[in-house]
């Protein structure tokens, strides 16, 4: 009975913290994006939001491999996707000022949606292929000026250890912009909060940053979007500790 009671209290507390953080930093981030075109203010709000949401759930984040990144460079960052916890983990702890390609439904969430729109995030309509492809063009126009672009390669969440097919959006975006692709592996988020679940368990999420993939090298090797996607998938899954099929 005691354990059940503690679990319920933690669950309610987590949602109160998440809701309050979303209202506060979503509003501040939207305002910051209006008055500061550089995006630094909006990025800072997203970072504080992610850290507060995770700490309120008793979740810590371990990041490795960031020494591979040039702080002055702009990248296309690509990772696997297991959980709703992935977004706050990436925003809160990945030390790169970034925007995201995110599913369109997130833009309809009060406060969070305002932040995403004002901060230059790009909605992806997964059910409409034409509009989804158009999102890549929009994202290409919003990279640069110190702001990288982040994508979840599978486009939706899959169970921990069971990857889905990788979309070609990251490869198309990299080939369009000429920016290097950074593979990222996310570990354990799907165990702490599986797809379909709403109660996060305390624990540690691991973010592993891989070696940037030069698009110039890919072009010299005559790798097209399909070939580049296969390479991205192989490296992301290796970082995430998932067997390549």
């Amino acid at each position: 009975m005691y354990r059940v009671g503690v679990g319920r209290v933690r669950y309610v507390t987590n949602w109160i913290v998440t809701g309050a953080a979303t209202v506060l930093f979503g509003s501040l981030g939207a305002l910051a994006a209006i008055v500061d075109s550089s995006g630094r203010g909006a990025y800072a709000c997203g970072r504080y939001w992610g850290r507060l949401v995770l700490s309120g759930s008793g979740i810590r984040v371990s990041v490795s491999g960031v020494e591979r990144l040039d702080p002055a460079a702009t990248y296309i960052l690509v990772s696997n996707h297991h959980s709703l916890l992935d977004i706050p983990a990436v925003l809160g702890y990945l030390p790169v000022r970034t925007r995201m390609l995110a599913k369109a439904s997130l833009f309809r969430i009060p406060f969070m949606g305002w932040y995403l729109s004002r901060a230059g995030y790009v909605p992806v309509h997964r059910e409409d292929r034409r509009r989804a492809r158009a999102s890549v063009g929009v994202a290409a126009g919003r990279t640069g000026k110190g702001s990288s672009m982040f994508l979840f390669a599978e486009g939706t969440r899959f169970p921990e250890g069971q990857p889905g097919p990788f979309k070609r959006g990251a490869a198309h975006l990299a080939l369009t912009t000429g920016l290097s692709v950074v593979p990222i592996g996310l570990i354990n988020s799907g165990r702490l909060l599986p797809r379909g679940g709403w109660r996060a368990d305390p624990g540690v999420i691991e973010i592993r940053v891989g070696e940037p993939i030069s698009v110039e090298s890919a072009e010299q090797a005559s790798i097209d979007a399909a070939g580049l996607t296969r390479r991205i998938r192989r490296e992301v899954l290796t970082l995430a500790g998932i067997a390549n099929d």
Side-chain angles (χ1 to χ4, degrees):
M1 294 293 291
Y2 174 73
R3 290 182 179 178
V4 172
V6 169
R8 287 179 177 174
V9 169
R10 187 174 69 228
Y11 174 71
V12 173
T13 301
N14 291 351
W15 277 104
I16 291 174
V17 171
T18 299
T22 300
V23 171
L24 175 61
F25 290 110
S27 301
L28 291 176
L31 291 172
I34 294 173
V35 301
D36 178 14
S37 60
S38 72
R40 292 187 181 88
Y43 165 72
C45 288
R47 190 170 178 82
Y48 287 126
W49 172 80
R51 292 190 172 213
L52 183 56
V53 166
L54 294 180
S55 63
S57 299
I59 295 172
R60 295 179 292 111
V61 177
S62 170
V63 185
S64 61
V66 294
E67 69 278 359
R68 297 187 171 104
L69 302 178
D70 178 355
T74 302
Y75 299 101
I76 307 299
L77 304 115
V78 188
S79 82
N80 54 315
H81 193 17
H82 295 310
S83 171
L84 292 173
L85 299 174
D86 294 338
I87 292 178
V90 167
L91 290 182
Y93 292 90
L94 196 62
V96 178
R97 184 150 55 91
T98 181
R99 296 179 171 120
M100 285 187 176
L101 275 149
K103 62 182 181 180
S105 60
L106 293 177
F107 288 73
R108 295 192 289 269
I109 299 174
F111 300 100
M112 177 185 286
W114 302 346
Y115 167 79
L116 296 176
S117 296
R118 292 292 185 181
Y121 287 57
V122 181
V124 178
H125 300 267
R126 296 184 308 198
E127 69 285 352
D128 187 327
R129 289 187 178 182
R130 182 184 60 80
R131 296 178 73 182
R133 286 194 296 268
S135 298
V136 174
V138 174
R142 295 184 182 177
T143 55
K145 297 182 180 179
S147 183
S148 298
M149 188 63 69
F150 184 97
L151 301 83
F152 290 115
E154 296 140 306
T156 189
R157 289 166 287 156
F158 283 83
E160 186 88 24
Q162 300 177 34
F166 276 34
K167 309 295 184 183
R168 296 185 186 181
H172 283 301
L173 184 55
L175 292 171
T176 299
T177 61
L179 297 175
S180 296
V181 178
V182 178
I184 295 173
L186 299 179
I187 301 173
N188 207 41
S189 60
R191 296 187 182 94
L192 300 181
L193 181 60
R195 179 175 179 174
W198 293 99
R199 180 181 296 183
D201 293 324
V204 179
I205 294 173
E206 189 174 353
I207 301 177
R208 295 178 179 174
V209 179
E211 196 71 40
I213 302 169
S214 169
V215 173
E216 291 182 0
S217 298
E219 289 176 342
Q220 291 171 1
S222 299
I223 297 177
D224 58 7
L228 182 55
T229 299
R230 286 192 294 270
R231 181 176 175 184
I232 293 170
R233 187 176 192 271
R234 183 171 63 250
E235 298 201 19
V236 167
L237 296 187
T238 298
L239 288 165
I242 301 172
N244 290 275
D245 49 24

